[in-house]
Amino acid sequence: MADRAGGGPTRRQVGRGMAALGGALILAPLPAASAAPGTAGSDGSEGTGHGRPTLRHGSAERAGLLPAPLRQLVTDAEAFLGPSPRHPWYAGAVLLAGRGGTVALHQPIGQAVRYAAYDEKTDTAVEFPAEQQIAMAKDTVFDLASVSKLFTSILAVQQIERGTLELEGKVASYLPDFGGAGKQDITIRQLLTHTSGFRAWIPLYTAPTYEEKLRRVWNEAPLNPPGTTYLYSDLNLISLQLVLEKITGRPLDTLLRTEITAPLGMRRTRFNPPASWKPGIAATEDARQPWSGLDRGLVWGEVHDENAYSLGGVAGHAGVFSTAWDLAVLGRTLLNGGVYGGARILRPESVDLMFTDFNTAFPGDEHGLGFELYQHWYMGAMATERTAGHTGFTGTSLVLDPTTDSFLVLLGNSVHPVRTWRSGSAPRVAAADNLARAVAVRPARGRTAWFSGMATATSATLTLPALDVGTGGRLRCALWWDTEPRADALFLESSADGGTTWQPVPFTTVRDGGAAPPGGTPEEHPDGSVTGWSGRVWHLLGADLPVAARLVVRWRYTTDRLYVGRGVYVDALRVRDDDRVVFDEARPADSARVEGVGWAASSD
């Protein structure tokens, strides 16, 4: 099921552009993954990983993270156990965050099983007696919902590596019956990037037999010509499942076990968990019509998604159950370039493709092979051009940031007791904002730098004192920015009339090479502003200033009411007029006026 509430999409579109990728993918075959001695398991033991980290629990400091934001991550997550704004967003959750090989936060909150039923007449829930409720635990198993799509995608990329599947191959070449109703030109890549033209979903669960369900897929016509539109669709991954099963001769649950979970030691990840697991599984919805497609009562230990349920619990788009630790192992494997402990499940270049945007024609809907990219609507301030992740309708999410080597798992039972009690992705955003904040930004020079903060719907301003600037006036500073593209921006402005009117100041930036000369080609900013992402590195800024006897220069950072990035830092401020220094941040006599968060220490 697509990650939505009440049938409407929740994803927010943010725009950016990259060079288009074209052509077919050709990779040399890679043998099937195999487990090796020393593969790390669910107990958190650490292996060598052939020089790549495997996971263990440790402190924030060991992970290179700031402890305070991690504590705030838990505090913010607990707030959503209460009205948010009207009903709890989830009955409980398991939070896991880390960096490198260290899991610095692994915290259960709330209840895995709380409600026996939902009363639609009063919009209230009927709770189990206290002694029958089950608290969340670190190893609580969750129905991952659409996060399952990542496993299907990985299995497909493995087959591409082995030469049995072509990325640009037509689906109908593997499944001839698929080619009807205008689908003859849909490719494997279009399934993986949701550009096939399929509608979001169809109620396969109303078909009485498996053969009839297949017939509905074969007869389904695209809403749009393949490759012309981005539209997130469960049908893409259901179709990919059918391709995988056809070319391998094995069912999807067997592929999951032999190609991913067994090699990686993910012992609590599978389709159709056995009845013995039920006490350790988070309950989902009191599934009854009209809000559910099927009348099933409290769904607990079985897949929530109606289509996956009707397919026997094994489906390409939903149906995988897992724990926070196992998902972190999968995330660490991908951040490692496809290897974990003694097992390799993907080649590094394949992982790169999963984290590379193939949807450059659809700004705001960046997508790798299976993974969503650069989506602030649930990645929050962790979102960068390389940040990859996915969400699930039941309240699950995984976010991986290669630029900081950090990972975040948030597993919540947000459809417990009913899907209409949750909306949006506020808990996911809050958690991602806090983990992003936990990765310190070190000042470019010295011990402090001006920091804009990370608040929504606000502005922060850094203003220099009035300067006497002649024809040789030149501003230099270090600049670091990470903002929601286009929605939030930093402006460099000047005023010659004491702040009554302000004009943009054009400037250039170039990546700071540290002790070496700056690297890269200078980038012009003729409108005097930056937005988006600086690559999580400092850039050197240079600007020619207008001639004025009392010129005031300021940086102004503004945010909209929805999402923010990591913020903006300004450091090493210096203004010269020919051979004369008229302002130097390092001189005690010079001072800048701050309206906003202000100066941040080097430990920030």
Side-chain angles (χ1 to χ4, degrees), residues 575-601:
V575 178
R576 297 182 64 91
D577 185 13
D578 292 326
D579 295 330
R580 180 173 62 97
V581 176
V582 295
F583 179 87
D584 191 335
E585 170 197 311
R587 297 193 312 202
D590 293 339
S591 62
R593 187 174 75 252
V594 173
E595 298 173 10
V597 172
W599 300 92

mmCIF file of all heavy atoms in Angstrom, residues 575-601:
data_model
loop_
_atom_site.group_PDB
_atom_site.id
_atom_site.type_symbol
_atom_site.label_atom_id
_atom_site.label_comp_id
_atom_site.label_asym_id
_atom_site.label_seq_id
_atom_site.Cartn_x
_atom_site.Cartn_y
_atom_site.Cartn_z
ATOM 1 N N VAL A 575 36.136 42.031 5.922
ATOM 2 C CA VAL A 575 35.865 43.016 4.876
ATOM 3 C C VAL A 575 37.098 43.891 4.712
ATOM 4 O O VAL A 575 37.625 44.442 5.694
ATOM 5 C CB VAL A 575 34.645 43.891 5.220
ATOM 6 C CG1 VAL A 575 34.420 44.935 4.117
ATOM 7 C CG2 VAL A 575 33.399 43.029 5.398
ATOM 8 N N ARG A 576 37.560 44.034 3.469
ATOM 9 C CA ARG A 576 38.690 44.901 3.147
ATOM 10 C C ARG A 576 38.235 45.967 2.156
ATOM 11 O O ARG A 576 37.340 45.748 1.343
ATOM 12 C CB ARG A 576 39.845 44.096 2.536
ATOM 13 C CG ARG A 576 40.446 43.050 3.448
ATOM 14 C CD ARG A 576 41.614 42.350 2.755
ATOM 15 N NE ARG A 576 42.706 43.273 2.478
ATOM 16 C CZ ARG A 576 43.721 43.506 3.304
ATOM 17 N NH1 ARG A 576 43.793 42.867 4.461
ATOM 18 N NH2 ARG A 576 44.670 44.342 2.966
ATOM 19 N N ASP A 577 38.882 47.095 2.239
ATOM 20 C CA ASP A 577 38.686 48.167 1.261
ATOM 21 C C ASP A 577 40.060 48.528 0.733
ATOM 22 O O ASP A 577 40.845 49.205 1.419
ATOM 23 C CB ASP A 577 38.014 49.375 1.920
ATOM 24 C CG ASP A 577 37.685 50.454 0.909
ATOM 25 O OD1 ASP A 577 37.745 50.175 -0.302
ATOM 26 O OD2 ASP A 577 37.372 51.580 1.326
ATOM 27 N N ASP A 578 40.373 48.030 -0.459
ATOM 28 C CA ASP A 578 41.739 48.074 -0.978
ATOM 29 C C ASP A 578 42.667 47.390 0.022
ATOM 30 O O ASP A 578 42.496 46.219 0.295
ATOM 31 C CB ASP A 578 42.151 49.511 -1.280
ATOM 32 C CG ASP A 578 41.366 50.078 -2.459
ATOM 33 O OD1 ASP A 578 41.042 49.303 -3.374
ATOM 34 O OD2 ASP A 578 41.047 51.285 -2.438
ATOM 35 N N ASP A 579 43.627 48.108 0.586
ATOM 36 C CA ASP A 579 44.582 47.492 1.515
ATOM 37 C C ASP A 579 44.188 47.673 2.974
ATOM 38 O O ASP A 579 44.948 47.335 3.876
ATOM 39 C CB ASP A 579 45.978 48.082 1.298
ATOM 40 C CG ASP A 579 46.530 47.742 -0.076
ATOM 41 O OD1 ASP A 579 46.156 46.667 -0.596
ATOM 42 O OD2 ASP A 579 47.300 48.544 -0.628
ATOM 43 N N ARG A 580 42.977 48.157 3.225
ATOM 44 C CA ARG A 580 42.557 48.454 4.597
ATOM 45 C C ARG A 580 41.501 47.459 5.059
ATOM 46 O O ARG A 580 40.520 47.209 4.355
ATOM 47 C CB ARG A 580 41.997 49.875 4.646
ATOM 48 C CG ARG A 580 41.518 50.340 6.005
ATOM 49 C CD ARG A 580 41.155 51.821 5.932
ATOM 50 N NE ARG A 580 40.054 52.050 4.990
ATOM 51 C CZ ARG A 580 38.776 52.154 5.367
ATOM 52 N NH1 ARG A 580 38.442 52.051 6.636
ATOM 53 N NH2 ARG A 580 37.838 52.370 4.448
ATOM 54 N N VAL A 581 41.690 46.864 6.246
ATOM 55 C CA VAL A 581 40.701 45.983 6.835
ATOM 56 C C VAL A 581 39.686 46.842 7.574
ATOM 57 O O VAL A 581 40.023 47.558 8.512
ATOM 58 C CB VAL A 581 41.354 44.975 7.807
ATOM 59 C CG1 VAL A 581 40.279 44.120 8.489
ATOM 60 C CG2 VAL A 581 42.349 44.085 7.073
ATOM 61 N N VAL A 582 38.425 46.762 7.137
ATOM 62 C CA VAL A 582 37.377 47.564 7.784
ATOM 63 C C VAL A 582 36.502 46.721 8.714
ATOM 64 O O VAL A 582 35.754 47.275 9.531
ATOM 65 C CB VAL A 582 36.494 48.267 6.746
ATOM 66 C CG1 VAL A 582 37.313 49.279 5.955
ATOM 67 C CG2 VAL A 582 35.830 47.266 5.808
ATOM 68 N N PHE A 583 36.587 45.414 8.602
ATOM 69 C CA PHE A 583 35.906 44.538 9.561
ATOM 70 C C PHE A 583 36.627 43.198 9.600
ATOM 71 O O PHE A 583 36.984 42.651 8.550
ATOM 72 C CB PHE A 583 34.440 44.299 9.185
ATOM 73 C CG PHE A 583 33.723 43.388 10.148
ATOM 74 C CD1 PHE A 583 33.121 43.905 11.295
ATOM 75 C CD2 PHE A 583 33.671 42.021 9.943
ATOM 76 C CE1 PHE A 583 32.488 43.069 12.203
ATOM 77 C CE2 PHE A 583 33.036 41.176 10.844
ATOM 78 C CZ PHE A 583 32.436 41.704 11.975
ATOM 79 N N ASP A 584 36.833 42.685 10.795
ATOM 80 C CA ASP A 584 37.443 41.372 10.976
ATOM 81 C C ASP A 584 36.776 40.720 12.178
ATOM 82 O O ASP A 584 36.856 41.235 13.289
ATOM 83 C CB ASP A 584 38.949 41.488 11.199
ATOM 84 C CG ASP A 584 39.652 40.138 11.119
ATOM 85 O OD1 ASP A 584 38.991 39.111 11.369
ATOM 86 O OD2 ASP A 584 40.853 40.104 10.817
ATOM 87 N N GLU A 585 36.128 39.621 11.939
ATOM 88 C CA GLU A 585 35.425 38.915 13.010
ATOM 89 C C GLU A 585 36.333 38.616 14.194
ATOM 90 O O GLU A 585 35.882 38.587 15.346
ATOM 91 C CB GLU A 585 34.849 37.612 12.445
ATOM 92 C CG GLU A 585 34.289 36.633 13.436
ATOM 93 C CD GLU A 585 34.137 35.249 12.857
ATOM 94 O OE1 GLU A 585 33.572 35.129 11.750
ATOM 95 O OE2 GLU A 585 34.573 34.289 13.504
ATOM 96 N N ALA A 586 37.612 38.377 13.922
ATOM 97 C CA ALA A 586 38.531 37.982 14.978
ATOM 98 C C ALA A 586 38.960 39.138 15.871
ATOM 99 O O ALA A 586 39.554 38.922 16.925
ATOM 100 C CB ALA A 586 39.778 37.326 14.364
ATOM 101 N N ARG A 587 38.684 40.402 15.470
ATOM 102 C CA ARG A 587 39.113 41.548 16.274
ATOM 103 C C ARG A 587 38.063 41.858 17.334
ATOM 104 O O ARG A 587 36.870 42.019 17.010
ATOM 105 C CB ARG A 587 39.329 42.782 15.396
ATOM 106 C CG ARG A 587 40.439 42.580 14.370
ATOM 107 C CD ARG A 587 40.866 43.863 13.717
ATOM 108 N NE ARG A 587 39.756 44.682 13.241
ATOM 109 C CZ ARG A 587 39.876 45.608 12.286
ATOM 110 N NH1 ARG A 587 41.071 45.809 11.729
ATOM 111 N NH2 ARG A 587 38.860 46.333 11.908
ATOM 112 N N PRO A 588 38.427 41.943 18.579
ATOM 113 C CA PRO A 588 37.446 42.232 19.630
ATOM 114 C C PRO A 588 36.683 43.530 19.410
ATOM 115 O O PRO A 588 35.533 43.654 19.822
ATOM 116 C CB PRO A 588 38.313 42.311 20.898
ATOM 117 C CG PRO A 588 39.548 41.509 20.576
ATOM 118 C CD PRO A 588 39.784 41.724 19.115
ATOM 119 N N ALA A 589 37.307 44.489 18.757
ATOM 120 C CA ALA A 589 36.636 45.786 18.572
ATOM 121 C C ALA A 589 35.495 45.699 17.573
ATOM 122 O O ALA A 589 34.591 46.544 17.579
ATOM 123 C CB ALA A 589 37.650 46.827 18.109
ATOM 124 N N ASP A 590 35.541 44.735 16.692
ATOM 125 C CA ASP A 590 34.478 44.576 15.695
ATOM 126 C C ASP A 590 33.407 43.634 16.242
ATOM 127 O O ASP A 590 33.708 42.667 16.931
ATOM 128 C CB ASP A 590 35.040 43.998 14.400
ATOM 129 C CG ASP A 590 35.984 44.966 13.702
ATOM 130 O OD1 ASP A 590 35.886 46.170 13.982
ATOM 131 O OD2 ASP A 590 36.824 44.507 12.908
ATOM 132 N N SER A 591 32.185 43.908 15.943
ATOM 133 C CA SER A 591 31.106 43.038 16.407
ATOM 134 C C SER A 591 29.997 43.010 15.367
ATOM 135 O O SER A 591 29.790 43.974 14.629
ATOM 136 C CB SER A 591 30.542 43.506 17.754
ATOM 137 O OG SER A 591 29.987 44.797 17.635
ATOM 138 N N ALA A 592 29.284 41.893 15.326
ATOM 139 C CA ALA A 592 28.148 41.731 14.433
ATOM 140 C C ALA A 592 26.886 41.569 15.273
ATOM 141 O O ALA A 592 26.919 40.982 16.349
ATOM 142 C CB ALA A 592 28.344 40.506 13.537
ATOM 143 N N ARG A 593 25.787 42.108 14.783
ATOM 144 C CA ARG A 593 24.517 41.999 15.493
ATOM 145 C C ARG A 593 23.778 40.766 14.988
ATOM 146 O O ARG A 593 23.637 40.549 13.787
ATOM 147 C CB ARG A 593 23.659 43.239 15.265
ATOM 148 C CG ARG A 593 22.387 43.250 16.123
ATOM 149 C CD ARG A 593 21.625 44.555 15.989
ATOM 150 N NE ARG A 593 20.907 44.648 14.729
ATOM 151 C CZ ARG A 593 21.259 45.435 13.729
ATOM 152 N NH1 ARG A 593 22.353 46.191 13.821
ATOM 153 N NH2 ARG A 593 20.547 45.466 12.612
ATOM 154 N N VAL A 594 23.301 39.969 15.922
ATOM 155 C CA VAL A 594 22.670 38.701 15.592
ATOM 156 C C VAL A 594 21.198 38.752 15.970
ATOM 157 O O VAL A 594 20.848 39.152 17.079
ATOM 158 C CB VAL A 594 23.362 37.539 16.338
ATOM 159 C CG1 VAL A 594 22.598 36.252 16.122
ATOM 160 C CG2 VAL A 594 24.796 37.380 15.892
ATOM 161 N N GLU A 595 20.345 38.388 15.027
ATOM 162 C CA GLU A 595 18.925 38.195 15.304
ATOM 163 C C GLU A 595 18.590 36.773 14.873
ATOM 164 O O GLU A 595 18.479 36.485 13.702
ATOM 165 C CB GLU A 595 18.067 39.196 14.532
ATOM 166 C CG GLU A 595 18.353 40.651 14.909
ATOM 167 C CD GLU A 595 17.615 41.629 14.024
ATOM 168 O OE1 GLU A 595 16.740 41.178 13.257
ATOM 169 O OE2 GLU A 595 17.919 42.829 14.088
ATOM 170 N N GLY A 596 18.470 35.891 15.814
ATOM 171 C CA GLY A 596 18.264 34.478 15.515
ATOM 172 C C GLY A 596 19.022 33.642 16.513
ATOM 173 O O GLY A 596 19.240 34.055 17.645
ATOM 174 N N VAL A 597 19.467 32.450 16.095
ATOM 175 C CA VAL A 597 20.112 31.539 17.037
ATOM 176 C C VAL A 597 21.452 32.066 17.493
ATOM 177 O O VAL A 597 21.785 32.030 18.666
ATOM 178 C CB VAL A 597 20.260 30.144 16.398
ATOM 179 C CG1 VAL A 597 21.098 29.243 17.274
ATOM 180 C CG2 VAL A 597 18.877 29.539 16.198
ATOM 181 N N GLY A 598 22.266 32.562 16.577
ATOM 182 C CA GLY A 598 23.522 33.179 16.968
ATOM 183 C C GLY A 598 24.723 32.277 16.800
ATOM 184 O O GLY A 598 24.751 31.392 15.959
ATOM 185 N N TRP A 599 25.728 32.498 17.627
ATOM 186 C CA TRP A 599 27.006 31.825 17.457
ATOM 187 C C TRP A 599 26.971 30.442 18.072
ATOM 188 O O TRP A 599 26.466 30.233 19.169
ATOM 189 C CB TRP A 599 28.127 32.658 18.088
ATOM 190 C CG TRP A 599 28.225 34.001 17.469
ATOM 191 C CD1 TRP A 599 27.611 35.145 17.874
ATOM 192 C CD2 TRP A 599 28.927 34.335 16.284
ATOM 193 N NE1 TRP A 599 27.886 36.172 17.024
ATOM 194 C CE2 TRP A 599 28.710 35.719 16.034
ATOM 195 C CE3 TRP A 599 29.728 33.620 15.403
ATOM 196 C CZ2 TRP A 599 29.264 36.379 14.955
ATOM 197 C CZ3 TRP A 599 30.289 34.291 14.333
ATOM 198 C CH2 TRP A 599 30.053 35.648 14.111
ATOM 199 N N ALA A 600 27.520 29.491 17.347
ATOM 200 C CA ALA A 600 27.551 28.109 17.804
ATOM 201 C C ALA A 600 28.988 27.715 18.073
ATOM 202 O O ALA A 600 29.899 28.055 17.322
ATOM 203 C CB ALA A 600 26.946 27.183 16.757
ATOM 204 N N ALA A 601 29.197 26.980 19.167
ATOM 205 C CA ALA A 601 30.544 26.565 19.542
ATOM 206 C C ALA A 601 31.002 25.419 18.663
ATOM 207 O O ALA A 601 30.218 24.769 17.971
ATOM 208 C CB ALA A 601 30.574 26.147 21.014
#
